[in-house]
Amino acid sequence: MSENTLSNNSNSASSNTTSGSSTSASTSTNNGGTTTTTTMMNGHIGTHFTSKNNFESYGRSTDTYLSIPQFYAGRSVFITGGTGFMGKVLVEKLLRSCPDIKNIYLLIRPKRGHEVSQRLNELLEAPLFEKLRREKPKDLSKVIPISGDITSEELGISDSDQALLCRNVSIVFHSAATVKFDEKLKLSVTINMLGTKRLVELCHRMMSLDALIHVSTAYCNCDRTEVSEVIYAPPYNPDDIISLVNWLPEDTLDKLTPSLIGERPNTYTFTKALAEHMLLKEAGNLPVAIVRPSIVTASLNEPFAGWIDNLNGPTGLLSAMAKGIFRTIVCEENCIADVVPVDIVINLMITAAWRTASHKTDNLLIYNCCTGQRHPITWGTFVNYAVDLARKHPLEGCAWYPGGSLRSNATMNSVNAFIVHYIPAYILDVMARCIGKKPIFVKIQNKIAKAVECLNYFATHEWQFKDDNVCALLQTLSPNDRDNFVFDVTTINWEKYMERYVLGFREFLFKQKPQSLPGSRKKMMRLYYIDILTKLFMVICTWRFLMSRSKRLNALWSSFLQNILKLVRLMPFL
């Protein structure tokens, strides 16, 4: 892959293709007191902005500073992916913190015979919206479903709904994507690339569009160890990949996928990288910004600490570990675990839209939303916190005492996994059959093994995600906006966050009430003693087996015991 980076200026995407080692820079200052710097390296451009003097750039008077809630007042927003994990938090945050927002249009796909209105009602009845239902129930009526499908032509939106969006919407958040790491290339291209292209086509028709925020991923450039806030040259022309997907049979495409994605570990990171470049090409003069989160996990504070609604990423593995059915993984414990709470990402997205709309520029700004650069935590610390807290706040129905080991050697991990995962699973399945129940434990272990395989790459590599634009954006906020839309990752207390995380998936994923904790802790103590006795039994059995196979070892053991007995007899005289 080329080491060059592509222009972040949509008007120069095709012209800046010269080669060489020269570096130049140009700056421009807008009326907000901030400076945008466009740096050219080897004929390509990366854009960064810096604040001259924090909030003082705008003056202390509220007349010269339009706060984020004021900016969203009277505006209508269109969101793709609004029924997903991040989309739900975005909707809730906009309704709660921008109370004068006009409407929020959600692209919702009819699913399993459920109409979009029914799916919207189910969404708004989720625990996430409890505070709004209690304090501002009328505000929920601002959320309006738009029937459509990201995989369809024109997003599957009717002509009348397209006209409605084009008349009313001024802010667009595009977060719809397939996040399955092992997704087929055809579907991944259809959703992550074609879906983005179709959305941009719709945005070009919006009469008063002020900002389009595209949610990418920090790992779209995971073939590099240092990732700046620029768009890197893609391995292929996005249009060629789209044509290839449309032309080739799917079975042939599946065979070609490993060679197409190259050094990237999966189709997700591959198609997200191509989608960024396609967006740069297709956006033209649209006001666009890209937000790249790393590994998105449970909320830090909003709307309440620890909220999570899926088993994606590390959450599924931590849950299995807390249940006692997952105990070993290939992982470099000293590598940075670049996890970021979902509300941090959402606050940055909302602020990025405010910035993009209120400070017009020809440049496409990118924000790497990550923790590793400013406030890192290693995988070893992350897992140790999780194990300790899973014992402190145990789940109901634990199969075994929680524990976990990180191994850098894949072969040793496979051997250990067979011993601690599959042997117990087979034994439990045999017992289940004997009492007339359905055997499920081997099937569970197979699912966990598949999930672990998808995550191994990210647990054994480390990246430096530069976040200069994020830090500069933070400095442009007033104190009130900085407090209300928190995305400063240095405020995270990792130990407290992990406790909220564990309590969060206990309550929101496993639906277990806090009142059940005392009983679960009593059972956890029993599991602790069973675990100790089991380990002691295995040590004794192993030792006896070795003794029976080795006369020399037997003689050494007898000599050792005799010396111990002699020492005990001499103790009264010492």
Side-chain angles (χ1 to χ4, degrees):
M1 178 174 175
S2 170
E3 290 297 313
N4 295 334
T5 57
L6 286 175
S7 168
N8 276 19
N9 185 324
S10 57
N11 296 323
S12 59
S14 60
S15 61
N16 291 327
T17 57
T18 60
S19 62
S21 59
S22 62
T23 301
S24 63
S26 63
T27 61
S28 61
T29 304
N30 59 36
N31 58 9
T34 58
T35 302
T36 300
T37 305
T38 303
T39 306
M40 178 175 288
M41 297 180 296
N42 299 331
H44 301 284
I45 298 174
T47 302
H48 303 275
F49 75 86
T50 55
S51 172
K52 278 186 176 179
N53 211 6
N54 298 354
F55 181 48
E56 293 177 3
S57 305
Y58 302 97
R60 295 291 181 179
S61 169
T62 55
D63 294 336
T64 58
Y65 179 87
L66 187 67
S67 71
I68 295 176
Q70 287 173 331
F71 164 76
Y72 280 94
R75 291 180 179 272
S76 290
V77 172
F78 178 49
I79 301 173
T80 70
T83 58
F85 174 47
M86 289 175 57
K88 293 174 187 175
V89 182
L90 175 59
V91 171
E92 195 279 338
K93 177 64 176 180
L94 286 171
L95 288 174
R96 180 166 46 83
S97 297
C98 302
D100 295 323
I101 196 169
K102 187 177 180 182
N103 287 313
I104 299 176
Y105 298 101
L106 291 189
L107 183 68
I108 301 179
R109 176 170 59 93
K111 189 176 181 182
R112 300 191 187 104
H114 292 179
E115 295 298 323
V116 293
S117 56
Q118 185 179 352
R119 290 196 65 196
L120 177 63
N121 289 335
E122 292 173 358
L123 170 69
L124 298 179
E125 288 171 3
L128 184 69
F129 295 91
E130 180 181 348
K131 188 174 182 179
L132 281 168
R133 288 198 302 269
R134 185 175 64 251
E135 298 178 359
K136 300 177 181 179
K138 291 183 179 179
D139 284 1
L140 296 176
S141 63
K142 296 179 180 180
V143 185
I144 300 170
I146 299 294
S147 181
D149 188 342
I150 199 76
T151 65
S152 302
E153 291 290 339
E154 297 184 336
L155 302 178
I157 303 175
S158 67
D159 291 343
S160 58
D161 281 345
Q162 286 186 47
L164 175 70
L165 295 174
C166 291
R167 283 196 312 270
N168 298 328
V169 169
S170 59
I171 305 293
V172 175
F173 293 98
H174 178 44
S175 63
T178 173
V179 297
K180 286 181 65 178
F181 287 167
D182 56 350
E183 189 67 85
K184 297 274 190 179
L185 181 60
K186 185 178 182 66
L187 184 56
S188 192
V189 166
T190 301
I191 296 175
N192 295 343
M193 295 176 64
L194 274 173
T196 300
K197 187 172 184 178
R198 290 161 179 161
L199 177 69
V200 171
E201 290 170 354
L202 178 63
C203 287
H204 275 295
R205 295 167 48 205
M206 292 181 177
M207 293 178 284
S208 57
L209 182 70
D210 287 322
L212 164 59
I213 304 302
H214 172 73
V215 181
S216 184
T217 171
Y219 296 100
C220 64
N221 298 297
C222 60
D223 54 332
R224 306 172 61 91
T225 56
E226 184 176 302
V227 180
S228 297
E229 292 167 308
V230 295
I231 295 178
Y232 292 95
Y236 304 99
N237 186 317
D239 290 332
D240 291 343
I241 294 297
I242 291 173
S243 299
L244 190 70
V245 166
N246 290 333
W247 178 65
L248 285 178
E250 191 162 357
D251 58 342
T252 305
L253 197 60
D254 291 343
K255 293 177 183 177
L256 285 175
T257 296
S259 60
L260 285 173
I261 65 177
E263 295 180 12
R264 289 181 173 84
N266 50 52
T267 59
Y268 171 66
T269 56
F270 176 70
T271 55
K272 292 298 275 187
L274 291 174
E276 284 192 3
H277 183 251
M278 188 179 62
L279 180 66
L280 179 70
K281 177 183 174 184
E282 301 286 339
N285 60 356
L286 290 178
V288 181
I290 295 175
V291 174
R292 291 176 179 161
S294 50
I295 302 171
V296 184
T297 49
S299 63
L300 176 67
N301 294 310
E302 296 181 287
F304 31 76
W307 185 78
I308 187 81
D309 76 340
N310 64 81
L311 289 167
N312 295 336
T315 305
L317 300 184
L318 292 185
S319 300
M321 177 272 299
K323 279 281 189 180
I325 58 176
F326 177 71
R327 310 182 73 83
T328 183
I329 186 174
V330 177
C331 181
E332 294 290 343
E333 63 177 350
N334 293 321
C335 281
I336 291 173
D338 209 309
V339 296
V340 57
V342 63
D343 47 336
I344 294 281
V345 183
I346 296 307
N347 287 332
L348 176 59
M349 288 167 57
I350 292 171
T351 307
W354 163 83
R355 172 74 197 184
T356 302
S358 57
H359 298 81
K360 303 293 185 184
T361 174
D362 290 334
N363 299 308
L364 189 158
L365 283 168
I366 298 170
Y367 301 93
N368 285 341
C369 186
C370 309
T371 56
Q373 192 75 7
R374 307 285 170 180
H375 192 39
I377 180 174
T378 64
W379 281 116
T381 303
F382 183 85
V383 170
N384 286 337
Y385 278 152
V387 170
D388 291 343
L389 291 163
R391 295 167 178 172
K392 180 180 177 182
H393 307 295
L395 293 171
E396 297 174 38
C398 286
W400 202 259
Y401 188 66
S405 59
L406 308 180
R407 298 179 184 275
S408 57
N409 186 293
T411 302
M412 289 300 297
N413 184 74
S414 297
V415 172
N416 194 42
F418 180 76
I419 294 171
V420 301
H421 291 166
Y422 280 96
I423 290 178
Y426 279 111
I427 292 172
L428 289 171
D429 275 356
V430 169
M431 293 172 62
R433 288 181 186 277
C434 291
I435 60 176
K437 290 188 176 182
K438 188 176 179 180
I440 60 171
F441 289 98
V442 172
K443 187 180 292 186
I444 290 173
Q445 287 299 339
N446 288 334
K447 286 183 177 180
I448 293 174
K450 188 176 180 181
V452 168
E453 186 178 356
C454 292
L455 292 175
N456 278 349
Y457 178 87
F458 302 96
T460 55
H461 291 75
E462 185 173 287
W463 296 265
Q464 290 183 346
F465 299 114
K466 303 298 183 181
D467 58 354
D468 297 329
N469 283 347
V470 175
C471 295
L473 179 61
L474 180 66
Q475 298 306 315
T476 66
L477 295 180
S478 69
N480 281 340
D481 279 347
R482 204 177 300 179
D483 291 340
N484 293 331
F485 298 89
V486 177
F487 58 88
D488 182 1
V489 298
T490 62
T491 62
I492 301 171
N493 180 314
W494 284 116
E495 186 172 7
K496 288 183 179 179
Y497 172 71
M498 289 303 299
E499 184 163 25
R500 294 166 179 169
Y501 193 177
V502 170
L503 288 170
F505 67 66
R506 187 184 193 276
E507 179 176 356
F508 303 116
L509 288 180
F510 292 94
K511 312 299 181 185
Q512 297 176 6
K513 300 296 182 183
Q515 293 81 355
S516 67
L517 275 170
S520 296
R521 286 175 179 139
K522 288 181 181 177
K523 182 180 179 181
M524 184 57 62
M525 285 303 298
R526 291 197 295 271
L527 289 175
Y528 170 72
Y529 290 120
I530 291 172
D531 183 62
I532 293 295
L533 290 173
T534 301
K535 289 176 179 176
L536 182 61
F537 176 75
M538 291 179 66
V539 168
I540 292 172
C541 289
T542 303
W543 184 248
R544 287 187 63 84
F545 174 80
L546 294 173
M547 293 269 290
S548 65
R549 292 292 187 275
S550 173
K551 292 182 178 180
R552 180 174 176 78
L553 190 62
N554 205 339
L556 286 172
W557 178 245
S558 298
S559 176
F560 174 75
L561 289 179
Q562 289 174 5
N563 289 329
I564 291 293
L565 288 173
K566 289 179 181 178
L567 183 62
V568 170
R569 290 179 186 139
L570 290 173
M571 283 182 68
F573 303 100
L574 294 178

